[in-house]
Each structure stands twice: as structure tokens, then as C-alpha cells.
Amino acid sequence: MGIRTVAVYSEADRDSLHVRFADEAVCIGPPPSFESYLNVSRIMAAASITGASAIHPGYGFLAENAEFARICEDTDIKFIGPGSKMIAAMGDKALAKKTMKNADVPIVPGSDGEVDTLEDARKVVESIGVPVIIKASAGGGGKGMRIVRDLEDVDNQYTLARNEAEKAFGNGAVYIERYIENPRHVEIQILGDQHGNITHLGERECSIQRRHQKLIEESPSPVVTPELREKMGDAAIAGAEAVKYEGAGTVEFLLDSGGNFYFMEMNTRVQVEHPVTEEVIGVDIVREQIRIAAGEKISRRKAHPTGHAIECRINAEDPYHDFRPSPGVITSFHQPGGYGIRVDTHAYQSYTIPSHYDSLIAKLIARGKTRQEAVTRMRFALEEFIIEGVKTTIPFHIKVMEDERFKKGEFDTHFLEDFDFI
Ligand code: MV4
């Protein structure tokens, strides 16, 4: 795009590839993220010293921090993403649900917003019936959730949920909804520009996860028909239009076994799994984010997926020992390549994976004309990917690619709970 870039990095990331690739780089502090990547004043100082006109927040850290976005707005540095009020509104999960309900987006039946007392919690559960799920308003991504299967457990679980939420987010607010058994996690990628145009880029299937950490994503979903895609896409667009959404965003849905879908959360950042959408739609999502931030228009044309793409998250974790982190020096690194293979990574041979951050070290994306071709190509690329010195999730992914149920596309969010690896 011809835009000069400035990387920020902590002392632990001095040797990361993003630092070498940027035109300039500024160290913003010691390894602990509170002293570097979460330290707003140091990031603003780095932007100011280098004369940066915009900040791309990526994912994680401050990417969905409304306060950081507001400070960018106040200092006239363009935060590449939606406005701070939008981030705050979507970060409040109970409020986001109300907003989507008002825009006629399907939601899971449940409480009308937050449930502030035990008496109200009992009333709500009695009216919707068990099983229910209690979720933290300030949560998301599975943190602070409790399932209630027996009316007698409401008191206990409600109290536990509030205490957990208070501890984790400094906000004990919770809401309640019917618990959907064996759902799939299917999300719609959207783009909105400053001129009111909103479009969707189809769905991603993200049901293969472990402890709410996604491990494998794909697009299209093996169960989403063109008709369902149109319905989910229209719902996501209706929700985004109601809030005049600007930037790249993701509308997460639960999809039940009957083909019914329900709004779950909206993410106001680019997601880790965005490459599978890029591969089947033929759009560079980060480029679109930057164009939107610069005031340019997106094309309104509806996008249809061509072929199939799968992403495996290669984490520095030991899948043979409960996926425990495995930081350290990469002594050998050979990445796969060739037609239909893409690797997004900051790692290389001799690079030291720091222990301070999460363990994602590479994203391996395989594309094919069909899902089967993508799976086969992924299987061989995983075999070809050599990483030594640290344990990785590669052997786990090979096992999944060989699994009969996975190959048939027959899975839901509980797939890994009874997946016998080893
Ligand atoms: C649910 C649900 C069933 N019913 N909500 C987990 C992450 C958080 N965003 C919401 N989650 C769920 N919400 C209702 N009403 C099941 C889950 C859930 C889940 C969702 C997506 C992917 C994996 C999951 C694993 C367990 C539970």
C-alpha cells in the first residue's frame, strides 16, 4: 500500500520478525505486557515520536480496549477499527444482545439484559426452563460461564458466576439464556465503511476448540448452505447497520443441529482466523481495514466463497501433556509451501519463543477446490512443517485431519472433549 510502518515491541520480542520487517521499530518496555503492550502512554509516545498517523491494534492486548481507542481519538491518531463507543457497546455482552434483538437479529431466549438479584435469576430460570447458561456481561470467549441443569442449582451457580465475573473483570454483572446443546460456532465476517456501506464475507466454522481456544477454523462451514449463508449474512448486516458499524468485525453465532442460528457476541477487531476468509473470498482484510480507516469505500458486491480453506493454529504447546506451554529456542524450522499453502508467522530458526505471551507461533492455511482437497493438502503440509526445540500442536492437527468424523465435517463445539489423542 506504500505506507511506512513502525513496529512496537517489548524487550522479549526484540528478535521477532515484525520488528525486522517494519521501516522503524520502537521498544516500549520490559516483557510483562502490563509494562509494554498494555501500556497506553508508552504506545502513544512511540506513535508521537515517530509521527505515526494511525495505529493498527491487531488482535489481543488493546485491540478491543475502548479507553485506548478513545485516547487515540482525543490525540488525532486514527485507531484502525470502530469508534471507542462502538467497542464499549459491543464489549458489554448483555447490551450487545439487546441491540441485536432490536435489529431483529435472532438471539437465544433469556433474560432481558442483566440479572441483578438472586430472586430475578430464579424467576428467569423458572420461565425459560433448564438447562440455562449464566454469562458475564463483561466476559466473552467463554470466561465466567456457568451451566445450570437443575433448578435447585440456580442459587449456587448464580452466586458463583457473579463472584467469578467480579474477580475476572471487576464487574459482576451477568445475564441468563437457554443453553443450546451441542452447538456449532459459526461466525460472519463483516466490513463497514464510513459512508454507511456494510457487506459480509461469508462465514467461518470455528467449532474445533479446546477450553474456548480455537485450534482449527475453516471457510466455508461444512454445514452452511448458500441459503443459510444468505440468512446469516443478512442478519449480521442488519445488526451492523443498526449500529452504523465501521471497520472489520465478526458476528458470532451459535448454530444448533436444526439449522437455527442465534447471535452470541460481536468482535470489533480482526480475528486470528481471518486468513481462511481471505483465501476463499479473495480479499485482503487488513488492507480493507486500512482503506476503511482512510475514508475509502468498500465495494457493496456480495461475495461468494470459491473453494475451501482450513487454518491450523500451530502453538508452542505440548499436546501430549495437556497442551502445556513449551517456550524456548526453535533449533530447527522449515515451513511448508507450494500451491494452496500459506504460513503466517513471526518465527524462524534460532528464534526464542518468549514465555510471557500466548503460544501461537504460526498459522498454517491450506486451500483447495473442495474441502477434501484442503484437508489432504493440510495433512501433507503438517507433515512437511518441521519445528524442533519446542513442542508444538502439529501432531495433534495431523490426528484431527485423519479423523473420520472431522473428514465428514460431522462435529460441534464438543468435538475435542471426547477426541482421544495419542
Ligand atoms: C452458549 C452455549 C450454549 N448455549 N450459549 C462459549 C463461548 C462463549 N462465547 C459462549 N459459549 C457458549 N455459549 C448458549 N446459550 C455454548 C457455548 C459454548 C461454546 C461456544 C462456542 C464454542 C465452543 C463452546 C464450548 C462450550 C460452550
Side-chain angles (χ1 to χ4, degrees), residues 42-78:
R42 286 184 179 171
I43 292 167
M44 298 314 287
S48 161
I49 288 163
T50 56
S53 48
I55 296 178
H56 194 297
Y59 33 77
F61 297 124
L62 298 172
E64 291 178 284
N65 185 304
E67 179 68 8
F68 176 59
R70 193 187 56 75
I71 289 166
C72 290
E73 286 157 12
D74 290 349
T75 50
D76 242 13
I77 288 176
K78 177 65 189 169

Short mmCIF file of all heavy atoms in Angstrom, two decimals, residues 42-78:
data_model
loop_
_atom_site.label_atom_id
_atom_site.label_comp_id
_atom_site.label_asym_id
_atom_site.label_seq_id
_atom_site.Cartn_x
_atom_site.Cartn_y
_atom_site.Cartn_z
N ARG A 42 3.01 4.53 26.80
CA ARG A 42 4.23 4.20 26.05
C ARG A 42 3.93 4.03 24.56
O ARG A 42 4.74 4.41 23.71
CB ARG A 42 4.86 2.93 26.61
CG ARG A 42 5.54 3.23 27.93
CD ARG A 42 6.26 2.03 28.47
NE ARG A 42 6.92 2.40 29.72
CZ ARG A 42 7.48 1.54 30.53
NH1 ARG A 42 7.49 0.25 30.24
NH2 ARG A 42 8.05 1.95 31.65
N ILE A 43 2.77 3.45 24.26
CA ILE A 43 2.40 3.27 22.85
C ILE A 43 2.12 4.62 22.20
O ILE A 43 2.55 4.89 21.08
CB ILE A 43 1.20 2.29 22.74
CG1 ILE A 43 1.66 0.88 23.14
CG2 ILE A 43 0.63 2.29 21.32
CD1 ILE A 43 0.55 -0.11 23.37
N MET A 44 1.42 5.49 22.93
CA MET A 44 1.13 6.82 22.39
C MET A 44 2.44 7.61 22.20
O MET A 44 2.58 8.35 21.22
CB MET A 44 0.18 7.59 23.31
CG MET A 44 -1.19 6.94 23.50
SD MET A 44 -2.00 6.37 22.00
CE MET A 44 -2.48 7.90 21.24
N ALA A 45 3.37 7.43 23.11
CA ALA A 45 4.67 8.11 22.98
C ALA A 45 5.41 7.62 21.74
O ALA A 45 5.97 8.42 20.98
CB ALA A 45 5.51 7.88 24.24
N ALA A 46 5.36 6.30 21.50
CA ALA A 46 6.02 5.74 20.31
C ALA A 46 5.38 6.30 19.03
O ALA A 46 6.07 6.63 18.07
CB ALA A 46 5.93 4.22 20.33
N ALA A 47 4.05 6.42 19.05
CA ALA A 47 3.35 6.96 17.87
C ALA A 47 3.73 8.42 17.65
O ALA A 47 4.00 8.84 16.52
CB ALA A 47 1.84 6.83 18.07
N SER A 48 3.79 9.17 18.73
CA SER A 48 4.09 10.59 18.65
C SER A 48 5.52 10.84 18.17
O SER A 48 5.76 11.64 17.26
CB SER A 48 3.81 11.20 20.02
OG SER A 48 4.45 12.43 20.14
N ILE A 49 6.47 10.13 18.76
CA ILE A 49 7.89 10.31 18.40
C ILE A 49 8.14 10.00 16.92
O ILE A 49 8.91 10.67 16.25
CB ILE A 49 8.77 9.38 19.29
CG1 ILE A 49 8.80 9.90 20.72
CG2 ILE A 49 10.20 9.25 18.74
CD1 ILE A 49 9.27 8.84 21.72
N THR A 50 7.46 8.99 16.40
CA THR A 50 7.70 8.57 15.01
C THR A 50 6.77 9.27 14.02
O THR A 50 6.88 9.05 12.82
CB THR A 50 7.53 7.05 14.87
OG1 THR A 50 6.21 6.69 15.34
CG2 THR A 50 8.57 6.30 15.69
N GLY A 51 5.84 10.07 14.53
CA GLY A 51 4.90 10.77 13.66
C GLY A 51 3.88 9.86 13.00
O GLY A 51 3.42 10.15 11.89
N ALA A 52 3.50 8.79 13.67
CA ALA A 52 2.52 7.85 13.09
C ALA A 52 1.16 8.52 12.99
O ALA A 52 0.73 9.23 13.90
CB ALA A 52 2.44 6.60 13.96
N SER A 53 0.47 8.28 11.89
CA SER A 53 -0.86 8.89 11.71
C SER A 53 -1.97 7.92 12.10
O SER A 53 -3.11 8.33 12.29
CB SER A 53 -1.04 9.33 10.26
OG SER A 53 -0.66 8.30 9.38
N ALA A 54 -1.65 6.63 12.23
CA ALA A 54 -2.67 5.63 12.58
C ALA A 54 -2.02 4.49 13.33
O ALA A 54 -0.82 4.25 13.22
CB ALA A 54 -3.35 5.10 11.31
N ILE A 55 -2.85 3.78 14.12
CA ILE A 55 -2.38 2.59 14.85
C ILE A 55 -3.24 1.41 14.46
O ILE A 55 -4.47 1.47 14.58
CB ILE A 55 -2.45 2.80 16.39
CG1 ILE A 55 -1.50 3.93 16.82
CG2 ILE A 55 -2.11 1.50 17.13
CD1 ILE A 55 -1.53 4.24 18.32
N HIS A 56 -2.60 0.33 14.01
CA HIS A 56 -3.33 -0.92 13.81
C HIS A 56 -3.18 -1.74 15.08
O HIS A 56 -2.09 -2.14 15.44
CB HIS A 56 -2.81 -1.71 12.61
CG HIS A 56 -3.77 -2.80 12.24
ND1 HIS A 56 -4.06 -3.83 13.11
CD2 HIS A 56 -4.57 -2.97 11.16
CE1 HIS A 56 -4.99 -4.60 12.56
NE2 HIS A 56 -5.32 -4.10 11.38
N PRO A 57 -4.31 -2.04 15.79
CA PRO A 57 -4.20 -2.70 17.08
C PRO A 57 -4.08 -4.21 17.01
O PRO A 57 -3.89 -4.85 18.05
CB PRO A 57 -5.50 -2.29 17.79
CG PRO A 57 -6.49 -2.20 16.67
CD PRO A 57 -5.72 -1.70 15.47
N GLY A 58 -4.18 -4.80 15.83
CA GLY A 58 -4.05 -6.26 15.71
C GLY A 58 -5.14 -6.99 16.47
O GLY A 58 -6.29 -6.56 16.47
N TYR A 59 -4.77 -8.13 17.10
CA TYR A 59 -5.72 -8.82 17.99
C TYR A 59 -5.05 -9.04 19.34
O TYR A 59 -3.83 -9.02 19.45
CB TYR A 59 -6.23 -10.15 17.40
CG TYR A 59 -5.28 -10.94 16.53
CD1 TYR A 59 -4.26 -11.70 17.10
CD2 TYR A 59 -5.42 -10.96 15.15
CE1 TYR A 59 -3.41 -12.44 16.31
CE2 TYR A 59 -4.56 -11.70 14.35
CZ TYR A 59 -3.56 -12.44 14.93
OH TYR A 59 -2.71 -13.17 14.15
N GLY A 60 -5.85 -9.22 20.37
CA GLY A 60 -5.31 -9.34 21.73
C GLY A 60 -4.94 -7.97 22.27
O GLY A 60 -5.21 -6.93 21.66
N PHE A 61 -4.32 -7.97 23.45
CA PHE A 61 -3.87 -6.73 24.10
C PHE A 61 -4.92 -5.62 24.05
O PHE A 61 -6.00 -5.79 24.59
CB PHE A 61 -2.52 -6.29 23.50
CG PHE A 61 -1.42 -7.31 23.76
CD1 PHE A 61 -0.69 -7.87 22.72
CD2 PHE A 61 -1.13 -7.73 25.05
CE1 PHE A 61 0.31 -8.81 22.96
CE2 PHE A 61 -0.14 -8.68 25.30
CZ PHE A 61 0.58 -9.21 24.25
N LEU A 62 -4.64 -4.49 23.37
CA LEU A 62 -5.55 -3.34 23.42
C LEU A 62 -6.53 -3.28 22.25
O LEU A 62 -7.22 -2.28 22.06
CB LEU A 62 -4.72 -2.04 23.47
CG LEU A 62 -3.82 -1.90 24.70
CD1 LEU A 62 -2.91 -0.67 24.54
CD2 LEU A 62 -4.65 -1.75 25.98
N ALA A 63 -6.61 -4.37 21.47
CA ALA A 63 -7.40 -4.33 20.22
C ALA A 63 -8.88 -4.04 20.47
O ALA A 63 -9.55 -3.48 19.60
CB ALA A 63 -7.24 -5.64 19.47
N GLU A 64 -9.40 -4.41 21.64
CA GLU A 64 -10.82 -4.14 21.93
C GLU A 64 -10.96 -3.33 23.22
O GLU A 64 -11.93 -3.48 23.96
CB GLU A 64 -11.61 -5.45 21.98
CG GLU A 64 -11.72 -6.07 20.59
CD GLU A 64 -12.46 -7.40 20.58
OE1 GLU A 64 -11.84 -8.40 21.01
OE2 GLU A 64 -13.61 -7.42 20.17
N ASN A 65 -9.98 -2.47 23.45
CA ASN A 65 -9.98 -1.63 24.64
C ASN A 65 -10.53 -0.26 24.26
O ASN A 65 -9.89 0.51 23.55
CB ASN A 65 -8.54 -1.54 25.18
CG ASN A 65 -8.45 -0.79 26.49
OD1 ASN A 65 -8.89 0.35 26.57
ND2 ASN A 65 -7.91 -1.44 27.50
N ALA A 66 -11.75 0.03 24.73
CA ALA A 66 -12.44 1.27 24.34
C ALA A 66 -11.68 2.50 24.83
O ALA A 66 -11.63 3.54 24.14
CB ALA A 66 -13.86 1.28 24.89
N GLU A 67 -11.07 2.40 26.00
CA GLU A 67 -10.32 3.52 26.57
C GLU A 67 -9.12 3.89 25.68
O GLU A 67 -8.86 5.07 25.43
CB GLU A 67 -9.85 3.12 27.98
CG GLU A 67 -9.02 4.14 28.72
CD GLU A 67 -9.80 5.40 29.11
OE1 GLU A 67 -11.04 5.42 28.94
OE2 GLU A 67 -9.14 6.36 29.55
N PHE A 68 -8.43 2.87 25.19
CA PHE A 68 -7.29 3.11 24.28
C PHE A 68 -7.78 3.78 22.98
O PHE A 68 -7.19 4.75 22.51
CB PHE A 68 -6.57 1.79 23.97
CG PHE A 68 -5.46 1.91 22.98
CD1 PHE A 68 -4.38 2.75 23.22
CD2 PHE A 68 -5.48 1.18 21.79
CE1 PHE A 68 -3.33 2.87 22.30
CE2 PHE A 68 -4.44 1.29 20.87
CZ PHE A 68 -3.37 2.13 21.12
N ALA A 69 -8.88 3.26 22.43
CA ALA A 69 -9.43 3.85 21.21
C ALA A 69 -9.83 5.32 21.44
O ALA A 69 -9.62 6.18 20.58
CB ALA A 69 -10.64 3.04 20.73
N ARG A 70 -10.39 5.59 22.63
CA ARG A 70 -10.81 6.97 22.94
C ARG A 70 -9.60 7.90 23.03
O ARG A 70 -9.63 9.03 22.52
CB ARG A 70 -11.59 7.01 24.26
CG ARG A 70 -12.31 8.33 24.51
CD ARG A 70 -12.92 8.42 25.89
NE ARG A 70 -11.94 8.21 26.96
CZ ARG A 70 -11.03 9.09 27.33
NH1 ARG A 70 -10.96 10.28 26.74
NH2 ARG A 70 -10.18 8.82 28.29
N ILE A 71 -8.52 7.42 23.62
CA ILE A 71 -7.31 8.24 23.72
C ILE A 71 -6.75 8.52 22.32
O ILE A 71 -6.31 9.63 22.03
CB ILE A 71 -6.28 7.57 24.66
CG1 ILE A 71 -6.79 7.66 26.10
CG2 ILE A 71 -4.89 8.21 24.54
CD1 ILE A 71 -6.08 6.77 27.09
N CYS A 72 -6.82 7.53 21.44
CA CYS A 72 -6.40 7.75 20.04
C CYS A 72 -7.26 8.84 19.41
O CYS A 72 -6.75 9.75 18.73
CB CYS A 72 -6.52 6.46 19.22
SG CYS A 72 -5.30 5.21 19.66
N GLU A 73 -8.57 8.76 19.64
CA GLU A 73 -9.49 9.76 19.08
C GLU A 73 -9.14 11.16 19.61
O GLU A 73 -9.09 12.12 18.84
CB GLU A 73 -10.95 9.42 19.46
CG GLU A 73 -11.49 8.23 18.65
CD GLU A 73 -12.66 7.50 19.33
OE1 GLU A 73 -13.23 8.02 20.32
OE2 GLU A 73 -13.00 6.39 18.86
N ASP A 74 -8.85 11.26 20.91
CA ASP A 74 -8.53 12.55 21.53
C ASP A 74 -7.21 13.12 21.03
O ASP A 74 -7.01 14.34 21.06
CB ASP A 74 -8.44 12.40 23.06
CG ASP A 74 -9.82 12.16 23.67
OD1 ASP A 74 -10.82 12.33 22.94
OD2 ASP A 74 -9.89 11.79 24.86
N THR A 75 -6.29 12.26 20.59
CA THR A 75 -4.98 12.75 20.17
C THR A 75 -4.84 12.76 18.65
O THR A 75 -3.75 12.96 18.13
CB THR A 75 -3.85 11.89 20.77
OG1 THR A 75 -4.15 10.52 20.52
CG2 THR A 75 -3.72 12.10 22.25
N ASP A 76 -5.97 12.50 17.96
CA ASP A 76 -5.97 12.60 16.50
C ASP A 76 -5.06 11.58 15.81
O ASP A 76 -4.54 11.83 14.74
CB ASP A 76 -5.58 14.01 16.06
CG ASP A 76 -6.73 14.65 15.28
OD1 ASP A 76 -7.84 14.09 15.32
OD2 ASP A 76 -6.49 15.68 14.63
N ILE A 77 -4.86 10.43 16.47
CA ILE A 77 -4.18 9.33 15.81
C ILE A 77 -5.28 8.34 15.46
O ILE A 77 -6.03 7.92 16.34
CB ILE A 77 -3.12 8.70 16.74
CG1 ILE A 77 -1.93 9.67 16.86
CG2 ILE A 77 -2.65 7.35 16.19
CD1 ILE A 77 -0.86 9.22 17.82
N LYS A 78 -5.43 8.00 14.19
CA LYS A 78 -6.54 7.14 13.78
C LYS A 78 -6.35 5.72 14.32
O LYS A 78 -5.37 5.06 13.98
CB LYS A 78 -6.67 7.15 12.25
CG LYS A 78 -7.76 6.24 11.70
CD LYS A 78 -9.17 6.66 12.11
CE LYS A 78 -10.17 5.58 11.70
NZ LYS A 78 -11.51 5.79 12.30
#
